[in-house]
Each structure stands twice: as C-alpha cells, then as structure tokens.
Amino acid sequence: MKERRVRVRFAPSPTGPLHMGGVRTALYNYLFAKKHNGDFLLRIEDTDQTRYVSGAEEYIVDALNWCQMSIDEGASVGGENGPYRQSERKPMYKQYADQLIESGSAYYAFDTPEELTEMRERMKAAGVSSPQYNAITRSGMKNSLTLPAEEVQRRLLANEKHVIRIKMPRNEDVKFEDIIRGWVSVNTNNIDDKVLFKSDGMPTYHLANVVDDYLMNISHVIRGEEWLPSAPLHVLLYQSLGWAEQMPKFAHLPLILKPDGNGKLSKRDGDRLGFPVFPTNWTNPETGEESSGYRERGYYPEAFNNMLAFLGWNPGTTQELFSMQELVEAFSLDRVGKAGAKFDFDKTNWFNQQYLRMQGGEQLAPQLKPFLASAQLEAEDSYIAQVCELMKERATFVQDILKEGRYFFEAPTSYDEKTIKKKWKEQTPEIIKELRDLLAALPSFDAESIGACFKAFLEAKELGFGAVMPGFRVSVTGLGAGASMNDIAALLGKEEVLNRIDIALKTIKK
RNA sequence: GGUCCGUUCGUCUAGGGGUUAGGACUCAUGGUUUUCAUCCAUGCAACAGGGGUUCGAAUCCCCUACGGACUACCA
C-alpha cells in the first residue's frame, strides 16, 4: 500500500494567547511532520465569532515563529488548500451539512435556547443527571424528525432560526485506534445529537474540523486529550460523509498539568505560580492585563522547545539535550506517554542554563549588549565577550551575567555589608594597600601573574587566603563572592583595579 | 452523576514476565574552588491498593481507590 503523505495541522482558535500546552501540541505536530518529510499547517478555527480576540492570531503566528516552527501552509504564508481561516471558509461547509441531511445522518432542529433549557431542567427533575438531546429526547423536540414535512419546509422557507444536528445512531459501538491510547470504543447511546451547523450560518468545531481535515488532506490529527471524548463523533462524521478511507489517524496527547494541586495547566495559572504559561508576552486588549512570556524572560526558544518536548515524550535514551533537528530525527508518537505531566519550572531553568553554557563568549556578547545599553553601560565587544565567557557558568539567563557581574562595567558603588562585617579587619586596609603596591609594580597584568604575585605576597607576609582575598574582592567588585579574582582583575586591567582599591580604602569604614 | 482516559522516586521519566527497578531535575552530604557558582562523587527517594494468571508480576487480567478530560448553537 502506498504511504500517504504526512500532513498535520495545528488548529488553535484565536480566543487569546497560545499557552504552553498549545505550543507543545504544535511542537509535536511539527516534529512529526518534519520527521516524515510532511507538511505542517496552521489553521485558525474561528467559527465562534463571539469569542474572537483581536491580536490572538498574530500572537499565535509570532509565538510559533519564535519557537522556530516554520509553517508550510497557513493564512500567514499561503498555500494551495486555503483559505486557512475557518471564518473565510464559511461558504464551504453548508453543502456537507446538507449532504448529511439528505443521507439521513442529520436533521434540522428549531428549538429555541429557552426550549432547550426547559427540556434539560425537565430531565434533571426526572432524575437524569446530564440531559442530552439524543435519540430519546429528540422525539419530544421541534425538529425535522418530529414535525410534519410541510411544516419543516414552511419554517425553512420563512428563514426561521434553526440548527443542524447529527442523528446519533442508537446503540452502536464506535471504535477507532488512537496512536497513543490504542483502541478506544464508545457506545453511541452516550453521545448526544451534537449541533453541526449553528443558527448563525457557521459550522461548529466538529463539522468544520472534519470537513477541513478532509479537504486539506490531513493524514494525522495530533491534538490534546480534551478532544478524546468527541473523537467518536468525528469518526462517525467521516463515515457518514463517505470519507472513511481518507479519515486521518488520531493521536490524543496527554495534558500538561498544574505543578501544584490538580487539573490541567490553564491560562490563568500564568504568573500566579511565578512562571509564565505563555511563550511570549501578551497584553489583553480588553483589560490591558499583562502576562509574561518565556521569550521576554530570557529563555532560549531551543531550551523552551526542548523542555516542552520532554513533557510527555522521551527518546528512550539518556540524552536530554536536543536541538530542533535532533528532536525531529528522534521524535516518535510511539514514545509519547499516556499520563498527564506536571509542569516543572526548575527543569525549565536547567534547560536554559545548559543552552546558555553551550555558547561561547562571542555568541553571548551580542545578547548581553541590549541589557548593558538599557543599564546605560558600555564596553568593547571583545571585552564583553570575555566577561561572558568568564561568567556564563554561573548564569541561567544572559542578563544574569550583568546582574552577577555588574562590576565588570562600572566600579562598585557600595560594598557588601556582610563581607565587610566579617572580613574587613583592623589590619585589612594596610594589607590591601601593600598588595595594591605590589600589583602596581607588576610588569604584566595577566591572570597568571596576578595569581603568582598574590601567592608570593601571602607567603612573604605569612598570611592565609582568607585574610587577604575577601578584602581584595570586596574592594574591586563590592561583593563577597564571585568568579576567580585573578581573572576579574586581569580583565579589568591594572589601572582600573588600582583605582578601585584606592577608592575602597578611602570609602570602606568598619 | 454519566462516558472516556489515566496511575513507577516530590517532579519528568526508563523499563512491556526473572533488573540490586535505571536516568534527569530538585534536595542533602563530601571533594575541587580564596569565596559563590560550575564540575565530580555519594546519598535520600517510587511500582496506588486488593485479588487473580504464572514456578515467577512493576510488567498480563479483573476489581477498588485516586486523578484527569469531556458532558454548550466554545473550541
């Protein structure tokens, strides 16, 4: 049998920013597509006009972009199967709804919202916990199954408000094989007569989704587990429309759970727990409320992707650091777990730290520059690169290099109190002064010479490291801890170091 | 409530009949370091419970418990 070309879609609805769970779904789709040399489409599911949020679609495209998932087909890039916004595909759906009516798989329903709630309440009162519009209840409602044909015609011609519902068969087992979960079987008695076509002329998710996946020749539907319960309905739709042969394979992904308590990670968990849930910053256009994103917090998209990929998937080896290309090569849906994964912020930071460290000082320098600029500090590129190289081991984000090593770019304006209190003894000024003069006489001011000089000084004076080093460090950096003083001093240069010592000796008072 | 899906260290997970149940993050301890971080080493720590099947079950089956998703003219 000829293999079908792999075509997958990520199909968010533009009701707000994408959150991590959505990004991971997109990522798995992307990885799967690329692994099989297939296509990754972005389809905007905006059939609910009342929930449309302006800027959300742009946000989604931008976020995907930042995460380095290139879109093969979509509204932002075009393609042969467009349009890629369901609102723009509106005229395409009606015929399929009509087809379902003609084949007897669907029917018109004229019930008003009030009548529907009335029915539900009546059922509840009768002891039915979750009332459904189904094979039983539909006989008591106003629809083309109960109303005389002439009246249905009359109402239709009069343009009376109506929806189209699927006629869910009675007592049939719908089975399908999910790539992640295996065979899933649901009896149709448990599924209601879902609305396929709304009274506003738009299809619901279910119809639009199936029609579009068919028309766009989607081979695999990879989506969140929240869709598992409606998958049987979709399967039925493919069958009723005569598309059983073209039905895509399904893979329902486990959910990403809140790190605390229970439940799936939601948009509202945002900054509540001290970490972003969004890939990039988002400002709610209605309320002006701001939510922080990984990009702006200083995370690398590679680290973010790597972390996300491992939330529910693993390569089966002990390798944890994967470039996008490696992820593509290693990815397989077989290795996606079934159970939900709690998000772990510590691990996310660890990934970022690893990615930071892989880079050389020259790579890091341009990243640090904007932070220097906004702190109104400046330095030569090669100097910044050296600072980065020296400091990267102790940073999680590039900006940490500035945070931890501000003294590389300006003389300390204050001195760490704890260190002064504990280490700045009565004789310290005198010792530091002597060391200063020794350093001043050094012909070559490199780390090695400084180290040698320092050591010789200790030996001559019969002093321990602890008696000299903290004073030296705090004088030059203002801090009690940090990178090797030899390296720091060498980088700063002789003049600057001597200068700082002089100032410190004048300034520091016990 | 109903339907469906799930359950291995605190967290992410490996493992699919015979393993001292492995790795990673976190944490703790020790070593390296003038210090902090890094790095290295070590440690803490798990098969939800009960029944089967089997010579043998974390692994297969059933039940229970717990968790989750869904239950709209939202996706």
Side-chain angles (χ1 to χ4, degrees), chain A residues 415-456:
Chain A
Y415 300 93
D416 183 63
E417 276 181 49
K418 238 181 172 170
T419 311
I420 300 297
K421 209 170 159 191
K422 284 180 74 176
K423 305 287 183 180
W424 197 266
K425 305 270 164 64
E426 205 168 320
Q427 63 277 37
T428 305
E430 201 180 313
I431 296 171
I432 297 298
K433 177 74 172 66
E434 277 182 63
L435 177 65
R436 179 222 179 271
D437 293 340
L438 241 39
L439 289 171
L442 233 40
S444 167
F445 209 70
D446 56 90
E448 212 172 311
S449 312
I450 296 166
C453 168
F454 192 90
K455 224 167 186 178

Side-chain angles (χ1 to χ4, degrees), chain A residues 310-369:
Chain A
F310 270 71
L311 228 42
W313 170 85
N314 75 82
T317 66
T318 54
Q319 183 183 348
E320 294 206 82
L321 265 14
F322 282 78
S323 67
M324 190 62 131
Q325 191 48 42
E326 289 174 309
L327 240 24
V328 165
E329 280 158 24
F331 189 77
S332 154
L333 285 173
D334 308 335
R335 296 206 62 88
V336 173
K338 299 184 202 325
K342 279 190 181 171
F343 172 65
D344 184 355
F345 192 48
D346 285 330
K347 192 85 183 223
T348 308
N349 289 334
W350 178 81
F351 274 113
N352 209 67
Q353 193 181 32
Q354 299 304 312
Y355 277 85
L356 182 93
R357 247 179 243 170
M358 285 176 201
Q359 304 175 69
E362 317 74 48
Q363 264 177 293
L364 261 9
Q367 301 167 32
L368 187 63
K369 260 187 137 171

Side-chain angles (χ1 to χ4, degrees), chain A residues 3-11 25 28-30 32-34 36 38-41 43 177-180 209 213-214 216-223 238 246-253 331 333-334:
Chain A
E3 278 288 301
R4 175 154 43 160
R5 179 175 178 83
V6 168
R7 285 173 60 80
V8 300
R9 82 297 191 283
F10 177 55
T25 301
Y28 283 14
N29 270 283
Y30 176 83
F32 183 77
K34 295 302 130 186
H36 299 283
D39 306 317
F40 174 66
L41 329 214
R43 188 173 70 219
E177 191 173 16
D178 187 279
I179 296 171
I180 293 170
N209 190 259
D213 283 347
Y214 169 75
M216 294 180 182
N217 204 8
I218 297 300
S219 63
H220 299 260
V221 168
I222 304 169
R223 71 222 313 188
Y238 280 102
Q246 289 88 344
M247 185 168 81
K249 292 201 165 77
F250 292 100
H252 289 94
L253 269 18
F331 189 77
L333 285 173
D334 308 335

Side-chain angles (χ1 to χ4, degrees), chain A residues 46-59:
Chain A
D46 54 350
T47 51
D48 186 356
Q49 292 140 337
T50 63
R51 292 214 307 163
Y52 178 81
V53 173
S54 86
E57 183 183 332
E58 291 76 4
Y59 180 97

